[in-house]
Amino acid sequence: MVERALPEIPRLGGSVAHRGMPSWLKGLRREPRVVVAGGYLLLLLLAAIFAPLVSPHDPLEQDLMLNTLPPAFSAGADPGYVLGTDSLGRDIASRLIHGARVALTVAIVAALAAGAFGTVLGLLAGYYGGWVDAVVSRLIDIWMAFPPVLLSILLVAMIGTGLTSVILAIVIIDWTRFCRVVRSETLQQTRMDYVDAAVVLGRSRWTILTREVLPNVLPVVLVLLSLEMGIAVIVEAVLSFVGLSVSSDMPTWGGMIAEGRQIIYHGWWVMVFPLSLLVLTVLAFNQLGDGLRRLTDPVMRR
Amino acid sequence: MSPALLSIAGLSARLKRPPHTPLLRSVDLEVAPGEVHGLVGESGAGKSTIGKAILGILPGAIELAGGTIRFCGEDLLAMPAGRRREILGSQIALIPQDPMTSLNPSRRIGDQLTDGLRLKRGLNGKALEDKAVSLLRDVQINDPEAVLRRYPHELSGGMRQRILIAAAFSMDPKLIIADEPTTALDVTVQKEVLRLIRSMQASHGTGVLFVTHDLGVVAQICDRVTVLYGGMIVEQGATADVLAAPSHPYTAALMAASPRHDQTGSGMQPIPASLTAALQGELARHGLERVTHA
């Protein structure tokens, strides 16, 4: 009787296949800024890694006879110095390339460390809840009450200057950005039925957290990492602008902006080029992050 | 009657925090091997709570306040966690309510379908893939090799529910808890899924506890039925008997409230206020109140 009451079972499937272009490539076509920003950043990274090979001059080499030469496109320029020289006769292009080393080292290391720390705490808080969540959440509340730039200057002044201190300061301040978002994302994922399904299969809580929940949280972390790299570049520039970053025998964008500021009226290029590169780089990181978010959003969280 | 596969006795549950609102009041329930047992009631009646208590996935806010859940004679609530984990998944499986959130969006269908076989049966490689393909064939999915490599968002709700059914039957369990498996599907897909569950259940000889709010579904698929109201059993018996001659006025009202396609123009009948009042009185005698927010 029961069998008769129900219709035949039609077969499903087969038609879902989309052949041809892999789906990630289609996504990139939809989000060209990921390609543009990513391409620019990759180029910058390569220039930073191979800085001694690609820079036309030694970034520290001074030649007072050649001081404040204008960039190559203006009158009175020396074609050997494409972006001109600063007040000590150092090649600006070479200094920008070497400055990228500091900027990108800080960006990558600080963002990864802050990301790792914040993600672990956020996962634990979101998944286990209870007192773990209470402690982590209150910690974030307290942390977010400090003004970040002032706190970073204070921290570096306290623990001393240098690359490690700058990275440490950024990690100490910015782990909350990851922690907050990862916590709420984990909370949301943990309520999904697939987590219950995994419990019913007899999987342990740890396995569920690392194998089931974490992969769904990672796209968000990826986006945040990109945004955080942009922030780290700014913080490093601010700290080197006020002279609290690496020592002065290493060119930094922030340091170059500080030097250029003093001679802005008779050598605008000394300040404008590092500033433009800084803005461009931060913009690229933000665009990359935004593009990645759009790429991962509609597909993964439908 | 054969010895019970699942035997729930005196099961009570309540909210963990004061005022400890009761959610289940001394529920007795038996599922025989190979039987489809319907568990019906309106929202908040406690039907899902029973299913979740069996599977050990009660939300943190709910606690059990007494009773036993025996599976093949062993008390699921009293046994060590390790033994319980052995039984869950391999002998008791779940067909969840919402196919959209019950599959992990970041894992391929094949991996999720075969979790149990890998974890509990130690299958891998070619044997595992062959088994996965045959599982999908069993639930009438075409081109199973391709579907195994897909992600959940690439499939329709009906297909996902079939995959969840395949996953539930993959370990050849003795008991399946079907938690409103058709509620999230549209009516045409619903019928197919029901038929699929019924035919799979019959060929595997699986006992099914079928949680639903839909008496129409009960009529189509269940051998026996338990009607819940406010965490309390109001009626229990063979589906044909209960639906033909409901002994409790609530069951009759629930039937009258179901839309019927064979009686045009009759419309839907709301559950009469007088009956609701009587039921509230009955609950009050047991020291209960109806939960409206569960």
Side-chain angles (χ1 to χ4, degrees), chain A residues 2 6-7 12 212 216 302, chain B residues 104 107 142 153 195 220:
Chain A
V2 168
L6 293 163
L12 290 180
E212 304 271 346
N216 287 301
R302 193 156 68 175
Chain B
N104 190 333
R107 300 180 63 213
N142 281 338
H153 71 263
R195 185 180 159 102
Q220 285 174 39

Side-chain angles (χ1 to χ4, degrees), chain A residues 2-3 6-12 16-18 193-194 199-203 212 215-216 299-300 302, chain B residues 85 88-89 101-102 104-107 115 119-120 140-142 150 153-154 159 162 192 195 198 220:
Chain A
V2 168
E3 294 294 306
L6 293 163
E8 281 303 306
I9 310 162
R11 296 190 145 259
L12 290 180
V16 286
H18 14 217
D193 294 335
Y194 68 79
V199 174
V200 172
L201 262 182
R203 292 199 137 185
E212 304 271 346
N216 287 301
V299 184
M300 300 307 283
R302 193 156 68 175
Chain B
R85 291 233 298 258
L88 287 176
T101 62
S102 298
N104 190 333
S106 66
R107 300 180 63 213
D115 267 343
L119 279 166
K120 308 252 167 160
Q140 321 286 327
I141 285 179
N142 281 338
R150 304 245 167 269
H153 71 263
E154 298 174 294
M159 274 189 73
R162 288 178 183 217
E192 294 157 15
R195 185 180 159 102
R198 183 72 193 182
Q220 285 174 39

Side-chain angles (χ1 to χ4, degrees), chain B residues 80-137:
Chain B
R83 173 79 186 126
R84 195 186 160 91
R85 291 233 298 258
E86 266 172 47
I87 292 180
L88 287 176
S90 62
Q91 297 189 49
I92 305 179
L94 164 73
I95 300 176
Q97 173 169 8
D98 187 354
M100 296 303 176
T101 62
S102 298
L103 287 166
N104 190 333
S106 66
R107 300 180 63 213
R108 289 176 195 278
I109 296 298
D111 294 338
Q112 305 197 53
L113 179 65
T114 56
D115 267 343
L117 293 168
R118 256 182 294 123
L119 279 166
K120 308 252 167 160
R121 300 272 191 270
L123 280 183
N124 53 44
K126 188 83 180 86
L128 187 68
E129 193 172 340
D130 289 347
K131 177 74 179 162
V133 168
S134 81
L135 282 171
L136 289 190
R137 288 234 164 81

Side-chain angles (χ1 to χ4, degrees), chain B residues 2-282:
Chain B
S2 48
L5 176 67
L6 177 79
S7 154
I8 296 175
L11 189 70
S12 300
R14 60 182 193 182
L15 287 185
K16 211 172 250 173
R17 288 174 185 243
H20 298 302
T21 315
L23 303 172
L24 291 179
R25 169 77 179 211
S26 198
V27 168
D28 298 320
L29 186 71
E30 286 200 349
V31 180
E35 170 192 66
V36 180
H37 192 116
L39 198 52
V40 251
E42 55 189 61
S43 298
K47 45 195 198 306
S48 280
T49 306
I50 295 176
K52 288 187 169 149
I54 297 166
L55 296 163
I57 51 172
L58 278 179
I62 301 176
E63 64 179 6
L64 293 177
T68 55
I69 302 176
R70 289 184 183 281
F71 175 73
C72 298
E74 282 182 275
D75 191 345
L76 284 173
L77 300 177
M79 69 177 53
R83 173 79 186 126
R84 195 186 160 91
R85 291 233 298 258
E86 266 172 47
I87 292 180
L88 287 176
S90 62
Q91 297 189 49
I92 305 179
L94 164 73
I95 300 176
Q97 173 169 8
D98 187 354
M100 296 303 176
T101 62
S102 298
L103 287 166
N104 190 333
S106 66
R107 300 180 63 213
R108 289 176 195 278
I109 296 298
D111 294 338
Q112 305 197 53
L113 179 65
T114 56
D115 267 343
L117 293 168
R118 256 182 294 123
L119 279 166
K120 308 252 167 160
R121 300 272 191 270
L123 280 183
N124 53 44
K126 188 83 180 86
L128 187 68
E129 193 172 340
D130 289 347
K131 177 74 179 162
V133 168
S134 81
L135 282 171
L136 289 190
R137 288 234 164 81
D138 286 348
V139 292
Q140 321 286 327
I141 285 179
N142 281 338
D143 199 4
E145 289 87 353
V147 172
L148 286 176
R149 285 192 299 275
R150 304 245 167 269
Y151 286 97
H153 71 263
E154 298 174 294
L155 307 176
S156 69
M159 274 189 73
R160 291 193 221 185
Q161 192 58 286
R162 288 178 183 217
I163 285 155
L164 290 166
I165 291 168
F169 280 100
S170 71
M171 311 284 290
D172 212 356
K174 291 180 183 152
L175 175 68
I176 283 184
I177 314 291
D179 187 4
E180 308 212 30
T182 55
T183 307
L185 305 171
D186 62 59
V187 184
T188 47
V189 183
Q190 241 182 49
K191 289 235 166 189
E192 294 157 15
V193 165
L194 279 181
R195 185 180 159 102
L196 190 60
I197 292 176
R198 183 72 193 182
S199 70
M200 296 273 287
Q201 173 270 336
S203 63
H204 286 68
T206 317
V208 178
L209 184 64
F210 199 102
V211 178
T212 181
H213 61 257
D214 189 341
L215 276 175
V217 168
V218 170
Q220 285 174 39
I221 196 170
C222 296
D223 303 309
R224 276 156 48 80
V225 63
T226 296
V227 184
L228 278 175
Y229 181 84
M232 179 181 71
I233 291 178
V234 295
E235 184 155 8
Q236 206 165 39
T239 308
D241 301 344
V242 170
L243 295 187
S247 67
H248 196 282
Y250 177 68
T251 315
L254 210 56
M255 286 173 67
S258 306
R260 299 186 56 157
H261 55 81
D262 55 345
Q263 291 174 4
T264 46
S266 65
M268 293 187 218
Q269 300 296 318
I271 292 180
S274 59
L275 176 61
T276 317
L279 281 161
Q280 295 287 7
E282 199 167 325

Side-chain angles (χ1 to χ4, degrees), chain A:
Chain A
M1 162 230 164
V2 168
E3 294 294 306
R4 250 188 306 114
L6 293 163
E8 281 303 306
I9 310 162
R11 296 190 145 259
L12 290 180
S15 61
V16 286
H18 14 217
R19 311 253 175 259
M21 219 189 293
S23 60
W24 63 269
L25 234 168
K26 269 187 205 159
L28 284 186
R29 269 179 41 161
R30 213 175 55 234
E31 286 295 327
R33 55 180 160 169
V34 170
V35 182
V36 175
Y40 163 80
L41 290 170
L42 191 69
L43 219 62
L44 194 69
L45 184 69
L46 287 176
I49 291 171
F50 301 108
L53 296 177
V54 295
S55 11
H57 297 271
D58 180 342
L60 301 176
E61 186 189 69
Q62 303 184 7
D63 189 343
L64 291 177
M65 300 303 290
L66 294 172
N67 81 80
T68 40
L69 282 176
F73 50 80
S74 356
D78 182 325
Y81 297 90
V82 186
L83 299 179
T85 60
D86 65 7
S87 54
L88 294 173
R90 296 174 296 195
D91 178 39
I92 289 181
S94 305
R95 289 178 69 73
L96 284 177
I97 294 172
H98 278 80
R101 290 187 140 186
V102 177
L104 291 183
T105 307
V106 170
I108 292 168
V109 178
L112 285 179
F117 187 63
T119 302
V120 168
L121 278 187
L123 275 174
L124 295 176
Y127 188 63
Y128 287 99
W131 67 267
V132 185
D133 187 26
V135 169
V136 172
S137 297
R138 290 302 82 74
L139 209 59
I140 293 174
D141 289 345
I142 295 168
W143 233 257
M144 305 265 297
F146 288 103
V149 172
L150 279 182
L151 185 60
S152 62
I153 292 175
L154 191 72
L155 270 172
V156 174
M158 266 164 50
I159 54 186
T161 58
L163 205 59
T164 328
S165 309
V166 174
I167 290 171
L168 207 62
I170 294 173
V171 174
I172 290 175
I173 294 161
D174 275 352
W175 64 272
T176 53
R177 291 176 193 272
F178 291 89
C179 199
R180 268 187 322 152
V181 178
V182 170
R183 174 188 165 272
S184 73
E185 190 70 21
T186 308
L187 215 58
Q188 200 187 334
Q189 292 292 335
T190 305
R191 293 204 193 100
M192 293 287 197
D193 294 335
Y194 68 79
V195 171
D196 276 350
V199 174
V200 172
L201 262 182
R203 292 199 137 185
S204 70
R205 297 192 76 165
W206 180 250
T207 323
I208 293 172
L209 181 59
T210 53
R211 302 274 177 78
E212 304 271 346
V213 176
L214 183 60
N216 287 301
V217 176
L218 275 184
V220 177
V221 176
L222 193 72
V223 171
L224 285 176
L225 269 181
S226 184
L227 297 176
E228 180 61 29
M229 286 182 190
I231 292 165
V233 168
I234 292 180
V235 173
E236 192 280 322
V238 168
L239 289 175
S240 53
F241 182 83
V242 298
L244 285 175
S245 182
V246 295
S247 58
S248 55
D249 57 354
M250 245 165 122
T252 58
W253 295 348
M256 292 174 75
I257 294 168
E259 286 157 19
R261 192 182 62 93
Q262 292 161 4
I263 54 165
I264 183 75
Y265 294 113
H266 48 274
W268 55 267
W269 55 89
V270 183
M271 180 170 142
V272 166
F273 288 130
L275 196 61
S276 313
L277 199 60
L278 178 71
V279 170
L280 213 59
T281 306
V282 175
L283 191 69
F285 275 124
N286 289 349
Q287 290 301 307
L288 182 67
D290 226 32
L292 285 177
R293 175 161 51 205
R294 278 159 194 270
L295 272 187
T296 51
D297 248 19
V299 184
M300 300 307 283
R301 31 210 96 252
R302 193 156 68 175

